[in-house]
Amino acid sequence: MILTTMTTFLGVAPLIFESSVQAQFLIPTAVALGSGVLFVSVLQMVLVPGCASLHARARGARSGRARAAGA
């Protein structure tokens, strides 16, 4: 995932830094694509493991209550 993110961002980077008149129409799109890919990748690397950890804790607490209630 990190490799794909970096290659996508580096692929649009030359367009972001282009100064020609023709590129002025595409620069906002390239900036949105590049920053969006970076933001979502960082978010995914933090949010997905965090949610999985919270889910595992909640599942463990739920099964612990079920055992205590049955005993």
Side-chain angles (χ1 to χ4, degrees), residues 17-68:
F17 300 115
E18 182 65 40
S19 62
S20 69
V21 175
Q22 293 87 358
Q24 296 303 314
F25 296 104
L26 295 175
I27 289 175
T29 304
V31 169
L33 179 67
S35 61
V37 165
L38 288 177
F39 176 73
V40 169
S41 296
V42 169
L43 188 68
Q44 187 174 6
M45 287 189 285
V46 172
L47 192 63
V48 171
C51 287
S53 176
L54 289 174
H55 179 70
R57 285 184 186 182
R59 188 173 178 190
R62 207 175 318 131
S63 66
R65 277 190 258 139
R67 280 191 227 130

